[in-house]
Coordinates of all heavy atoms in Angstrom, one line a residue:
M1 N 0.9 -1.2 0.0 CA 0.0 0.0 0.0 C 0.9 1.3 0.0 O 1.8 1.3 0.8 CB -0.9 0.0 1.2 CG -1.7 1.2 1.4 SD -2.8 1.2 2.8 CE -4.1 0.1 2.3
D2 N 0.6 2.2 -0.8 CA 1.3 3.4 -0.9 C 0.8 4.4 0.0 O -0.4 4.8 -0.1 CB 1.3 3.9 -2.4 CG 2.1 5.3 -2.5 OD1 2.8 5.6 -1.6 OD2 1.9 5.9 -3.6
H3 N 1.5 4.7 1.1 CA 1.0 5.6 2.1 C 1.4 7.1 1.9 O 1.0 8.0 2.8 CB 1.6 5.2 3.5 CG 1.3 3.7 3.9 ND1 0.0 3.3 4.3 CD2 2.1 2.7 3.8 CE1 0.1 2.0 4.5 NE2 1.3 1.6 4.2
T4 N 2.0 7.4 0.8 CA 2.6 8.8 0.7 C 1.4 9.8 0.6 O 1.7 10.9 1.0 CB 3.4 8.9 -0.7 OG1 2.6 8.4 -1.7 CG2 4.7 8.1 -0.5
N5 N 0.3 9.5 0.1 CA -0.8 10.5 0.0 C -1.8 10.4 1.2 O -2.8 11.1 1.3 CB -1.6 10.2 -1.3 CG -0.8 10.6 -2.5 OD1 0.0 11.5 -2.4 ND2 -1.0 9.9 -3.6
H6 N -1.4 9.5 2.2 CA -2.3 9.4 3.3 C -2.0 10.5 4.4 O -0.9 10.9 4.5 CB -2.2 8.0 3.9 CG -2.6 7.0 3.1 ND1 -2.4 5.6 3.3 CD2 -3.2 7.0 1.8 CE1 -2.8 4.9 2.3 NE2 -3.3 5.7 1.4
I7 N -3.0 10.9 5.1 CA -2.9 12.0 6.1 C -2.7 11.5 7.4 O -3.6 10.7 7.9 CB -4.2 12.9 6.0 CG1 -4.3 13.5 4.6 CG2 -4.1 14.1 7.0 CD1 -5.6 14.2 4.3
R8 N -1.7 11.9 8.1 CA -1.4 11.4 9.5 C -2.5 12.0 10.4 O -2.9 13.2 10.3 CB 0.0 11.9 10.0 CG 1.0 11.0 9.3 CD 2.4 11.4 9.8 NE 3.5 10.7 9.3 CZ 3.7 9.9 8.2 NH1 2.7 9.9 7.3 NH2 4.8 9.3 7.9
L9 N -2.9 11.2 11.4 CA -3.8 11.7 12.4 C -3.2 12.6 13.4 O -2.0 12.4 13.8 CB -4.5 10.5 13.2 CG -5.3 9.5 12.3 CD1 -5.9 8.5 13.3 CD2 -6.4 10.2 11.5
S10 N -3.9 13.6 13.9 CA -3.4 14.5 14.9 C -3.5 13.9 16.2 O -4.2 12.9 16.4 CB -4.1 15.8 14.8 OG -5.5 15.6 15.3
T11 N -2.8 14.4 17.2 CA -2.8 13.8 18.5 C -4.3 13.8 19.1 O -4.7 12.8 19.8 CB -1.9 14.6 19.5 OG1 -0.6 14.6 18.9 CG2 -1.9 14.0 20.9
T12 N -5.0 14.8 18.8 CA -6.4 14.8 19.3 C -7.3 13.8 18.6 O -8.4 13.5 19.2 CB -7.1 16.2 19.0 OG1 -7.0 16.5 17.6 CG2 -6.3 17.3 19.8
E13 N -6.9 13.2 17.5 CA -7.7 12.1 16.9 C -7.3 10.7 17.4 O -7.9 9.8 17.0 CB -7.4 12.2 15.4 CG -8.0 13.4 14.7 CD -7.7 13.4 13.2 OE1 -6.5 13.6 12.8 OE2 -8.7 13.1 12.4
L14 N -6.3 10.6 18.3 CA -5.9 9.3 18.7 C -6.8 8.9 19.9 O -6.5 8.8 21.1 CB -4.5 9.3 19.2 CG -3.4 9.7 18.2 CD1 -2.0 9.7 18.7 CD2 -3.6 8.8 17.0
T15 N -8.1 8.6 19.5 CA -9.1 8.3 20.5 C -9.6 6.8 20.2 O -9.5 6.4 19.0 CB -10.3 9.2 20.4 OG1 -10.9 9.1 19.2 CG2 -9.9 10.7 20.7
P16 N -10.2 6.1 21.1 CA -10.7 4.8 20.9 C -11.7 4.8 19.8 O -11.7 3.8 19.0 CB -11.3 4.4 22.2 CG -10.6 5.2 23.3 CD -10.2 6.5 22.6
E17 N -12.6 5.8 19.7 CA -13.6 5.8 18.7 C -13.0 5.8 17.3 O -13.6 5.2 16.4 CB -14.5 7.0 18.9 CG -15.3 7.1 20.2 CD -14.5 7.5 21.4 OE1 -13.5 8.2 21.2 OE2 -14.8 7.2 22.5
I18 N -11.9 6.4 17.1 CA -11.3 6.5 15.8 C -10.3 5.4 15.5 O -10.3 4.8 14.4 CB -10.5 7.9 15.7 CG1 -11.5 9.0 15.7 CG2 -9.7 7.9 14.4 CD1 -11.0 10.4 15.6
L19 N -9.6 4.9 16.5 CA -8.5 3.9 16.3 C -9.0 2.5 16.3 O -8.4 1.6 15.6 CB -7.4 4.1 17.3 CG -6.8 5.6 17.4 CD1 -5.7 5.5 18.4 CD2 -6.3 6.0 16.0
E20 N -10.0 2.2 17.1 CA -10.4 0.8 17.2 C -10.9 0.3 16.0 O -11.8 0.9 15.3 CB -11.4 0.7 18.4 CG -10.8 0.9 19.8 CD -11.7 0.8 20.9 OE1 -13.0 0.7 20.7 OE2 -11.2 1.1 22.0
G21 N -10.4 -0.9 15.6 CA -10.8 -1.6 14.3 C -9.9 -1.3 13.2 O -10.0 -1.8 12.1
A22 N -8.9 -0.3 13.4 CA -7.9 0.1 12.4 C -7.0 -1.1 12.0 O -6.5 -1.8 12.9 CB -7.1 1.2 12.8
T23 N -6.8 -1.4 10.7 CA -5.9 -2.4 10.2 C -4.5 -1.8 10.5 O -4.1 -0.7 10.4 CB -6.1 -2.6 8.8 OG1 -7.4 -3.0 8.5 CG2 -5.1 -3.6 8.2
V24 N -3.5 -2.8 10.9 CA -2.2 -2.4 11.2 C -1.3 -3.1 10.1 O -1.4 -4.3 9.9 CB -1.7 -2.9 12.6 CG1 -0.3 -2.5 12.9 CG2 -2.7 -2.2 13.6
Y25 N -0.4 -2.3 9.5 CA 0.5 -2.8 8.4 C 1.9 -2.8 9.0 O 2.3 -1.9 9.7 CB 0.4 -2.0 7.2 CG -0.9 -2.1 6.5 CD1 -1.9 -1.1 6.7 CD2 -1.2 -3.1 5.5 CE1 -3.1 -1.2 6.1 CE2 -2.4 -3.1 4.9 CZ -3.4 -2.2 5.2 OH -4.6 -2.3 4.6
G26 N 2.6 -3.9 8.8 CA 4.0 -4.1 9.3 C 5.1 -3.6 8.4 O 4.8 -2.9 7.4
A27 N 6.3 -3.9 8.8 CA 7.5 -3.4 8.1 C 7.5 -3.8 6.7 O 8.0 -3.1 5.8 CB 8.7 -3.9 8.9
D28 N 7.0 -5.0 6.4 CA 6.9 -5.4 5.0 C 5.7 -5.0 4.2 O 5.4 -5.5 3.2 CB 7.1 -7.0 5.0 CG 6.1 -7.6 5.9 OD1 5.1 -6.9 6.4 OD2 6.1 -8.9 6.1
D29 N 4.9 -4.1 4.8 CA 3.7 -3.5 4.3 C 2.6 -4.6 4.2 O 1.7 -4.4 3.3 CB 4.0 -2.7 3.0 CG 3.0 -1.6 2.8 OD1 2.5 -1.0 3.8 OD2 2.7 -1.3 1.6
H30 N 2.7 -5.6 4.9 CA 1.6 -6.6 4.9 C 0.8 -6.4 6.1 O 1.3 -5.9 7.2 CB 2.2 -8.0 5.0 CG 2.8 -8.5 3.7 ND1 4.1 -8.3 3.4 CD2 2.2 -9.1 2.6 CE1 4.4 -8.8 2.2 NE2 3.3 -9.2 1.7
K31 N -0.5 -6.7 6.1 CA -1.4 -6.6 7.2 C -0.9 -7.5 8.3 O -0.7 -8.7 8.1 CB -2.8 -7.0 6.8 CG -3.8 -6.9 7.8 CD -5.2 -7.3 7.3 CE -6.2 -7.5 8.4 NZ -7.4 -8.0 7.9
V32 N -0.7 -7.0 9.5 CA -0.2 -7.8 10.7 C -1.2 -7.9 11.7 O -1.1 -8.7 12.7 CB 1.1 -7.2 11.2 CG1 2.2 -7.2 10.3 CG2 0.9 -5.7 11.8
G33 N -2.3 -7.1 11.7 CA -3.4 -7.2 12.7 C -4.3 -6.1 12.7 O -4.3 -5.3 11.7
K34 N -5.1 -6.0 13.7 CA -6.2 -5.0 13.9 C -6.1 -4.4 15.3 O -5.8 -5.2 16.2 CB -7.5 -5.5 13.6 CG -8.0 -5.6 12.2 CD -9.5 -5.6 12.1 CE -10.1 -5.5 10.7 NZ -9.7 -4.4 10.0
V35 N -6.4 -3.1 15.4 CA -6.5 -2.5 16.8 C -7.8 -3.0 17.4 O -8.8 -2.7 16.9 CB -6.4 -1.0 16.7 CG1 -6.6 -0.4 18.1 CG2 -5.1 -0.5 16.1
D36 N -7.7 -3.7 18.5 CA -8.9 -4.2 19.2 C -9.4 -3.1 20.1 O -10.6 -2.8 20.1 CB -8.5 -5.4 20.0 CG -9.7 -6.0 20.7 OD1 -10.7 -6.3 20.1 OD2 -9.8 -6.0 22.0
H37 N -8.5 -2.5 20.9 CA -8.9 -1.4 21.8 C -7.7 -0.6 22.2 O -6.6 -1.0 21.9 CB -9.7 -1.9 23.0 CG -9.0 -2.8 23.9 ND1 -8.9 -4.2 23.7 CD2 -8.4 -2.6 25.1 CE1 -8.3 -4.7 24.7 NE2 -7.9 -3.8 25.6
V38 N -7.9 0.5 22.9 CA -6.9 1.5 23.2 C -7.1 1.8 24.7 O -8.2 2.0 25.3 CB -7.1 2.8 22.4 CG1 -6.1 3.9 22.8 CG2 -7.0 2.5 20.9
H39 N -5.9 1.9 25.3 CA -5.9 2.3 26.8 C -5.1 3.6 26.9 O -4.1 3.8 26.3 CB -5.1 1.3 27.6 CG -5.6 -0.1 27.8 ND1 -6.8 -0.3 28.4 CD2 -5.2 -1.2 27.3 CE1 -7.1 -1.6 28.4 NE2 -6.1 -2.2 27.8
G40 N -5.6 4.5 27.7 CA -4.8 5.7 28.1 C -4.7 6.9 27.2 O -3.7 7.7 27.4
G41 N -5.5 7.1 26.2 CA -5.4 8.2 25.3 C -4.1 8.3 24.5 O -3.5 7.2 24.2
A42 N -3.8 9.5 24.0 CA -2.7 9.6 23.0 C -1.3 9.1 23.5 O -0.5 8.8 22.7 CB -2.6 11.1 22.6
D43 N -1.1 9.0 24.8 CA 0.2 8.5 25.3 C 0.0 7.1 25.9 O 0.8 6.6 26.6 CB 0.8 9.5 26.3 CG -0.1 9.7 27.5 OD1 -1.3 9.2 27.5 OD2 0.3 10.2 28.5
G44 N -1.0 6.4 25.5 CA -1.3 5.1 26.0 C -0.9 4.0 25.1 O 0.2 4.1 24.4
Q45 N -1.7 2.9 25.1 CA -1.3 1.7 24.4 C -2.5 1.3 23.4 O -3.6 1.5 23.8 CB -1.1 0.5 25.3 CG 0.2 0.6 26.2 CD 0.3 -0.6 27.1 OE1 -0.7 -1.0 27.6 NE2 1.5 -1.1 27.1
A46 N -2.1 0.6 22.4 CA -3.0 0.0 21.5 C -2.9 -1.5 21.7 O -1.8 -2.0 21.8 CB -2.8 0.3 20.0
I47 N -4.0 -2.2 21.8 CA -4.0 -3.6 21.9 C -4.4 -4.1 20.5 O -5.4 -3.8 20.0 CB -5.1 -4.2 22.9 CG1 -4.9 -3.5 24.3 CG2 -5.0 -5.7 23.1 CD1 -3.5 -3.5 24.9
I48 N -3.4 -4.8 19.9 CA -3.5 -5.3 18.5 C -3.7 -6.8 18.6 O -3.0 -7.6 19.2 CB -2.2 -5.0 17.7 CG1 -1.9 -3.5 17.8 CG2 -2.3 -5.6 16.3 CD1 -0.6 -3.2 17.1
D49 N -4.8 -7.3 17.8 CA -5.0 -8.7 17.7 C -4.1 -9.1 16.4 O -4.3 -8.7 15.3 CB -6.5 -8.9 17.3 CG -7.3 -8.9 18.6 OD1 -6.8 -9.0 19.7 OD2 -8.6 -8.6 18.5
V50 N -3.2 -10.1 16.8 CA -2.3 -10.5 15.8 C -2.5 -11.9 15.4 O -2.7 -12.8 16.3 CB -0.8 -10.4 16.3 CG1 0.2 -10.8 15.2 CG2 -0.5 -8.9 16.7
G51 N -2.5 -12.3 14.1 CA -2.7 -13.7 13.7 C -4.2 -14.1 13.8 O -5.1 -13.2 13.8
G52 N -4.4 -15.4 13.8 CA -5.8 -15.9 13.8 C -6.4 -15.7 12.4 O -5.8 -15.3 11.5
F53 N -7.7 -16.2 12.4 CA -8.4 -16.1 11.2 C -9.8 -15.7 11.5 O -10.5 -16.3 12.4 CB -8.4 -17.5 10.5 CG -9.2 -17.5 9.2 CD1 -8.7 -16.9 8.1 CD2 -10.4 -18.2 9.1 CE1 -9.4 -16.9 6.9 CE2 -11.1 -18.2 7.9 CZ -10.6 -17.6 6.8
L54 N -10.3 -14.6 10.9 CA -11.6 -14.1 11.2 C -11.8 -13.8 12.7 O -12.9 -14.0 13.2 CB -12.7 -15.0 10.6 CG -12.7 -15.2 9.1 CD1 -13.7 -16.2 8.7 CD2 -12.9 -13.9 8.4
G55 N -10.8 -13.3 13.4 CA -10.9 -13.0 14.8 C -10.7 -14.2 15.7 O -10.7 -14.0 16.9
I56 N -10.6 -15.4 15.2 CA -10.5 -16.6 16.0 C -9.0 -17.0 16.1 O -8.4 -17.1 15.1 CB -11.4 -17.8 15.4 CG1 -12.8 -17.4 15.4 CG2 -11.2 -19.0 16.3 CD1 -13.7 -18.3 14.7
G57 N -8.6 -17.2 17.3 CA -7.2 -17.5 17.5 C -6.2 -16.4 17.5 O -5.0 -16.6 17.5
A58 N -6.7 -15.2 17.4 CA -5.8 -14.0 17.4 C -5.1 -13.8 18.8 O -5.8 -14.1 19.8 CB -6.5 -12.8 17.0
K59 N -3.9 -13.3 18.8 CA -3.2 -13.1 20.0 C -3.2 -11.6 20.3 O -2.7 -10.9 19.5 CB -1.8 -13.6 20.0 CG -0.9 -13.3 21.2 CD 0.5 -13.8 21.0 CE 1.4 -13.5 22.1 NZ 2.7 -13.9 21.9
P60 N -3.7 -11.1 21.5 CA -3.7 -9.7 21.7 C -2.3 -9.3 22.3 O -1.8 -9.9 23.2 CB -4.8 -9.4 22.7 CG -4.9 -10.8 23.4 CD -4.5 -11.8 22.4
V61 N -1.7 -8.3 21.7 CA -0.4 -7.7 22.3 C -0.6 -6.2 22.4 O -1.3 -5.6 21.6 CB 0.8 -8.0 21.3 CG1 1.0 -9.6 21.2 CG2 0.6 -7.5 19.9
A62 N 0.1 -5.7 23.4 CA 0.1 -4.3 23.7 C 1.3 -3.6 23.2 O 2.4 -4.0 23.3 CB 0.0 -4.1 25.2
V63 N 1.1 -2.5 22.4 CA 2.1 -1.6 22.0 C 1.8 -0.2 22.3 O 0.7 0.2 22.3 CB 2.4 -1.8 20.4 CG1 2.8 -3.2 20.1 CG2 1.2 -1.4 19.6
A64 N 2.9 0.7 22.4 CA 2.6 2.0 22.7 C 2.1 2.7 21.4 O 2.5 2.4 20.3 CB 4.0 2.7 23.0
L65 N 1.1 3.6 21.6 CA 0.5 4.3 20.5 C 1.6 5.1 19.7 O 1.5 5.2 18.5 CB -0.6 5.3 20.9 CG -1.9 4.7 21.3 CD1 -2.8 5.8 21.8 CD2 -2.5 3.9 20.2
S66 N 2.7 5.6 20.4 CA 3.7 6.3 19.8 C 4.6 5.4 18.8 O 5.3 5.9 18.0 CB 4.6 6.9 20.9 OG 5.2 5.9 21.7
D67 N 4.4 4.1 19.0 CA 5.2 3.2 18.1 C 4.3 2.8 16.8 O 4.8 2.0 16.0 CB 5.5 1.8 18.8 CG 6.6 2.0 19.9 OD1 7.3 3.0 19.8 OD2 6.6 1.3 20.8
L68 N 3.2 3.4 16.7 CA 2.3 3.2 15.5 C 2.1 4.5 14.8 O 2.0 5.6 15.5 CB 1.0 2.6 15.9 CG 1.0 1.3 16.6 CD1 -0.4 1.0 17.2 CD2 1.4 0.2 15.6
D69 N 2.1 4.6 13.5 CA 1.9 5.8 12.8 C 0.5 5.7 12.2 O 0.3 4.9 11.2 CB 2.9 5.9 11.6 CG 3.0 7.2 11.0 OD1 2.3 8.2 11.5 OD2 3.7 7.3 10.0
F70 N -0.5 6.3 12.8 CA -1.9 6.3 12.4 C -2.2 7.3 11.2 O -1.7 8.5 11.3 CB -2.8 6.5 13.5 CG -2.9 5.4 14.5 CD1 -2.1 5.3 15.6 CD2 -3.8 4.3 14.2 CE1 -2.2 4.3 16.5 CE2 -3.9 3.3 15.1 CZ -3.1 3.3 16.2
M71 N -2.9 6.9 10.2 CA -3.2 7.8 9.1 C -4.5 7.4 8.5 O -5.1 6.4 8.8 CB -2.1 7.8 8.1 CG -1.7 6.4 7.6 SD -0.1 6.5 6.5 CE 1.1 6.7 7.7
R72 N -5.0 8.3 7.7 CA -6.3 8.1 7.0 C -6.0 8.1 5.5 O -5.3 8.9 5.0 CB -7.2 9.4 7.4 CG -8.7 9.2 7.1 CD -9.4 10.4 7.5 NE -9.3 10.8 9.0 CZ -10.0 10.2 9.9 NH1 -10.9 9.3 9.7 NH2 -9.8 10.6 11.2
D73 N -6.6 7.1 4.8 CA -6.4 6.9 3.4 C -7.3 7.8 2.6 O -8.1 8.6 3.2 CB -6.5 5.5 3.0 CG -7.8 4.8 3.1 OD1 -8.8 5.6 3.2 OD2 -7.9 3.6 3.1
E74 N -7.3 7.7 1.3 CA -8.1 8.5 0.4 C -9.6 8.3 0.6 O -10.4 9.2 0.3 CB -7.8 8.2 -1.1 CG -6.4 8.4 -1.5 CD -5.4 7.3 -1.2 OE1 -5.8 6.3 -0.6 OE2 -4.3 7.4 -1.6
D75 N -10.0 7.1 1.1 CA -11.4 6.8 1.4 C -11.8 7.3 2.8 O -13.0 7.1 3.2 CB -11.7 5.4 1.2 CG -11.4 4.9 -0.2 OD1 -11.7 5.7 -1.1 OD2 -11.0 3.8 -0.4
G76 N -10.9 7.8 3.6 CA -11.2 8.2 5.0 C -11.1 7.1 6.0 O -11.3 7.3 7.2
D77 N -10.6 5.9 5.6 CA -10.4 4.8 6.5 C -9.1 5.0 7.3 O -8.0 5.3 6.6 CB -10.3 3.5 5.7 CG -11.7 3.1 5.0 OD1 -12.7 3.5 5.6 OD2 -11.6 2.6 3.9
V78 N -9.1 4.7 8.5 CA -8.0 4.8 9.4 C -7.2 3.5 9.4 O -7.8 2.4 9.5 CB -8.3 5.2 10.8 CG1 -7.2 5.2 11.8 CG2 -9.0 6.6 10.8
H79 N -5.8 3.6 9.3 CA -5.0 2.4 9.5 C -3.7 2.8 10.2 O -3.5 4.1 10.4 CB -4.7 1.8 8.1 CG -4.0 2.6 7.2 ND1 -4.6 3.6 6.5 CD2 -2.7 2.8 6.9 CE1 -3.7 4.3 5.7 NE2 -2.6 3.7 6.0
A80 N -2.9 1.9 10.6 CA -1.6 2.2 11.2 C -0.5 1.5 10.5 O -0.6 0.4 9.9 CB -1.7 1.8 12.7
V81 N 0.7 2.0 10.6 CA 1.9 1.4 10.1 C 2.9 1.3 11.2 O 3.0 2.2 12.0 CB 2.5 2.3 9.0 CG1 3.8 1.8 8.5 CG2 1.5 2.5 7.8
T82 N 3.6 0.2 11.3 CA 4.6 -0.1 12.3 C 5.8 -0.7 11.7 O 5.8 -1.2 10.6 CB 4.1 -1.0 13.4 OG1 5.1 -1.2 14.4 CG2 3.6 -2.4 12.9
S83 N 6.9 -0.6 12.4 CA 8.2 -1.1 11.9 C 8.3 -2.6 12.2 O 9.3 -3.2 11.7 CB 9.4 -0.3 12.4 OG 9.4 -0.4 13.8
W84 N 7.4 -3.2 13.0 CA 7.4 -4.5 13.3 C 6.8 -5.5 12.2 O 5.9 -5.1 11.5 CB 6.6 -4.8 14.6 CG 7.3 -4.3 15.9 CD1 8.6 -4.4 16.2 CD2 6.7 -3.4 16.8 NE1 8.8 -3.7 17.4 CE2 7.6 -3.1 17.8 CE3 5.4 -2.9 16.9 CZ2 7.4 -2.3 18.9 CZ3 5.1 -2.1 18.0 CH2 6.1 -1.8 19.0
T85 N 7.3 -6.7 12.2 CA 6.6 -7.7 11.3 C 5.6 -8.5 12.1 O 5.6 -8.4 13.4 CB 7.7 -8.7 10.8 OG1 8.3 -9.5 11.9 CG2 8.8 -8.0 10.1
K86 N 4.8 -9.3 11.4 CA 3.8 -10.0 12.1 C 4.5 -11.0 13.1 O 4.0 -11.2 14.2 CB 3.0 -10.8 11.1 CG 1.8 -11.6 11.8 CD 1.0 -12.4 10.8 CE -0.1 -11.6 10.3 NZ -1.1 -12.3 9.5
D87 N 5.6 -11.7 12.7 CA 6.3 -12.6 13.6 C 6.8 -11.9 14.8 O 6.8 -12.5 15.9 CB 7.4 -13.3 12.8 CG 6.9 -14.3 11.8 OD1 5.8 -14.8 11.9 OD2 7.7 -14.6 10.9
Q88 N 7.3 -10.6 14.7 CA 7.8 -10.0 15.9 C 6.7 -9.7 16.8 O 6.9 -9.8 18.0 CB 8.5 -8.7 15.4 CG 9.9 -8.9 14.8 CD 10.4 -7.6 14.2 OE1 9.7 -6.8 13.6 NE2 11.7 -7.4 14.4
L89 N 5.6 -9.3 16.3 CA 4.4 -9.0 17.1 C 3.9 -10.3 17.9 O 3.6 -10.3 19.0 CB 3.3 -8.3 16.4 CG 3.5 -6.9 16.0 CD1 2.4 -6.5 14.9 CD2 3.5 -6.0 17.2
K90 N 3.9 -11.4 17.1 CA 3.5 -12.6 17.7 C 4.4 -13.1 18.8 O 4.0 -13.8 19.7 CB 3.5 -13.8 16.5 CG 2.2 -13.7 15.7 CD 2.3 -14.8 14.7 CE 1.2 -14.9 13.7 NZ 1.3 -16.0 12.8
D91 N 5.6 -12.7 18.7 CA 6.6 -13.1 19.7 C 6.5 -12.3 21.0 O 7.1 -12.5 22.0 CB 8.1 -12.9 19.3 CG 8.4 -14.1 18.2 OD1 7.7 -15.1 18.3 OD2 9.4 -13.9 17.5
M92 N 5.7 -11.2 21.0 CA 5.5 -10.3 22.2 C 4.7 -11.0 23.2 O 3.9 -11.9 22.8 CB 4.9 -9.0 21.8 CG 5.8 -8.1 21.0 SD 4.9 -6.5 20.6 CE 6.2 -5.6 19.9
P93 N 4.8 -10.6 24.4 CA 3.9 -11.3 25.5 C 2.4 -11.0 25.2 O 2.1 -9.9 24.7 CB 4.3 -10.6 26.8 CG 5.5 -9.8 26.5 CD 5.6 -9.7 25.0
E94 N 1.6 -12.0 25.5 CA 0.1 -11.8 25.3 C -0.4 -10.8 26.3 O 0.0 -10.8 27.5 CB -0.6 -13.1 25.5 CG -2.1 -13.1 25.2 CD -2.7 -14.4 25.1 OE1 -2.0 -15.4 25.1 OE2 -4.0 -14.4 25.1
H95 N -1.2 -9.9 25.9 CA -1.9 -8.9 26.7 C -3.1 -9.6 27.4 O -3.9 -10.1 26.7 CB -2.3 -7.7 25.9 CG -3.0 -6.7 26.7 ND1 -2.5 -5.9 27.7 CD2 -4.4 -6.4 26.8 CE1 -3.4 -5.1 28.2 NE2 -4.5 -5.5 27.7
H96 N -3.2 -9.4 28.7 CA -4.3 -9.9 29.4 C -5.1 -8.8 30.0 O -4.6 -7.9 30.6 CB -3.9 -10.9 30.6 CG -3.2 -12.1 30.1 ND1 -3.8 -13.1 29.6 CD2 -1.8 -12.3 30.1 CE1 -2.9 -14.0 29.2 NE2 -1.7 -13.6 29.5
H97 N -6.4 -8.7 29.7 CA -7.3 -7.6 30.1 C -7.4 -7.5 31.6 O -7.7 -8.3 32.3 CB -8.7 -7.8 29.5 CG -8.6 -7.8 28.0 ND1 -8.3 -6.7 27.2 CD2 -8.8 -8.8 27.2 CE1 -8.4 -7.1 26.0 NE2 -8.6 -8.4 25.9

């Protein structure tokens, strides 16, 4: 996916209502997961569901929102880009609610 024309979200847009459900793309620009929920506002964490199929068997991992680059595409859909690969995210400790 070419992200050059996508608009980065401002700090005030880093809210659960906007970020939850966003697709996360990894270092290789492949889909690595989805944002399940957000803790703590703009300086908090995103819980990303990694792996699985149709939401079954996915592993939730916590990452700092500052480690994700959230942006809006031409259609207005929000997504995130990270420097991690799917395997690196899968190797992180599982987040327990």
Side-chain angles (χ1 to χ4, degrees):
M1 175 181 284
D2 181 8
H3 303 284
T4 55
N5 292 325
H6 298 172
I7 300 167
R8 286 179 175 29
L9 298 185
S10 67
T11 304
T12 59
E13 292 179 289
L14 299 180
T15 64
E17 296 80 23
I18 293 175
L19 303 182
E20 290 174 0
T23 299
V24 180
Y25 293 93
D28 52 8
D29 210 31
H30 287 93
K31 181 178 167 184
V32 296
K34 274 199 174 305
V35 176
D36 181 62
H37 61 280
V38 177
H39 293 295
D43 59 349
Q45 293 181 316
I47 309 306
I48 301 173
D49 285 336
V50 181
F53 181 70
L54 300 176
I56 299 171
K59 176 184 177 183
V61 298
V63 299
L65 285 177
S66 59
D67 290 336
L68 298 168
D69 194 7
F70 286 95
M71 53 188 75
R72 197 176 303 276
D73 67 17
E74 298 86 357
D75 297 326
D77 295 326
V78 174
H79 62 280
V81 178
T82 183
S83 59
W84 291 308
T85 64
K86 183 182 269 189
D87 288 337
Q88 288 172 317
L89 287 168
K90 283 182 179 178
D91 288 342
M92 290 181 175
E94 184 170 349
H95 174 76
H96 298 282
H97 302 287

